[in-house]
Amino acid sequence: MDEHQVEAYLQASGSERVIHVDEQDRELGIVSRADAQSQGLITRCTFIFVFNSRGELCVHQRTPHKRLYPSFWDVAAGGVVAAGESYLQGAERELAEELGVAGVPLTEHFRFFFNSADSQLWAGVFSCCWDGPLTLQPEEVQAVRWVDPRSDWQRPDEQYAPDSQEALARLLRQS
């Protein structure tokens, strides 16, 4: 992507309308994504873990222009739930946008509150099984690989998104 495309993407992303919630996931209103980010507001998001039939997990590298965790590796597809969407609808949309995976049943596992210096969010955690092709969204995903999530798969020279790492740790403890 060239600089103009990146700027257009970031501007469109910032203008998206999202749900502002409190620490108990109660809706407080609708705000722009840019306002939510600049004011440190709590929003809803989704994490979708994509496994193949061998039990491997799809991990992807975020693009360098992402506001949060640029160029980090992410263990889940997902993103902010848009105004008017349920967690499931947001998960289905994000999965289709980021990885081109659509029409696959999603299993909802749990929700949790994530609070760090970088972000606060209520997360809906989903998973699916997918053996088909992936179509990467160039604005958000620059690379993918499949790993065994129960092995020592992390590489010392890489950084990983802590919010999805927390979601994966919770999911693995459940199973």
Side-chain angles (χ1 to χ4, degrees), residues 17 20 22 36 48 57 81 97 120 130 138 140 143 147 175:
R17 308 296 287 170
H20 171 215
D22 67 13
I48 308 99
L57 175 65
V81 175
E97 288 175 0
Q120 296 183 86
W130 180 258
E140 298 200 17
V147 302
S175 51

Side-chain angles (χ1 to χ4, degrees), residues 15-21 27 29-33 43-45 79-87 89-90 93-94:
S15 68
E16 292 173 356
R17 308 296 287 170
V18 300
I19 305 165
H20 171 215
V21 298
E27 290 188 30
I30 305 298
V31 298
S32 73
R33 185 176 183 157
T43 57
R44 289 178 176 161
C45 83
V80 179
V81 175
E85 284 185 325
S86 67
Y87 280 100
Q89 290 166 329
R93 176 183 50 78
E94 289 286 350

Side-chain angles (χ1 to χ4, degrees), residues 13-174:
S13 175
S15 68
E16 292 173 356
R17 308 296 287 170
V18 300
I19 305 165
H20 171 215
V21 298
D22 67 13
E23 290 181 358
Q24 285 72 46
D25 198 21
R26 294 182 296 236
E27 290 188 30
L28 300 175
I30 305 298
V31 298
S32 73
R33 185 176 183 157
D35 286 346
Q37 292 169 345
S38 68
Q39 297 172 35
L41 303 177
I42 302 169
T43 57
R44 289 178 176 161
C45 83
T46 60
F47 295 114
I48 308 99
F49 295 101
V50 180
F51 295 95
N52 62 25
S53 59
R54 293 181 304 281
E56 296 170 320
L57 175 65
C58 178
V59 298
H60 69 273
Q61 187 176 27
R62 299 163 63 89
T63 54
H65 55 263
K66 294 288 289 179
R67 180 195 69 81
L68 193 60
Y69 314 127
S71 297
F72 281 41
W73 283 85
D74 209 332
V75 294
V80 179
V81 175
E85 284 185 325
S86 67
Y87 280 100
L88 177 60
Q89 290 166 329
E92 291 170 337
R93 176 183 50 78
E94 289 286 350
L95 185 58
E97 288 175 0
E98 289 184 11
L99 299 178
V101 176
V104 61
L106 298 181
T107 300
E108 184 170 4
H109 297 281
F110 54 87
R111 294 181 188 165
F112 75 100
F113 181 61
F114 180 81
N115 187 5
S116 76
D118 298 317
S119 70
Q120 296 183 86
L121 50 90
W122 262 97
V125 178
F126 299 82
S127 68
C128 68
C129 184
W130 180 258
D131 288 313
L134 299 175
T135 303
L136 308 184
Q137 181 182 20
E139 296 87 355
E140 298 200 17
V141 179
Q142 63 180 340
V144 298
R145 69 177 185 256
W146 295 88
V147 302
D148 176 352
R150 297 194 182 276
S151 72
D152 186 19
W153 60 269
Q154 294 182 5
R155 298 174 182 171
D157 60 332
E158 296 175 339
Q159 294 179 295
Y160 298 90
D163 51 5
S164 64
Q165 288 281 93
E166 174 66 22
L168 180 60
R170 288 172 181 247
L171 181 67
L172 293 176
R173 281 194 303 264
Q174 265 193 353

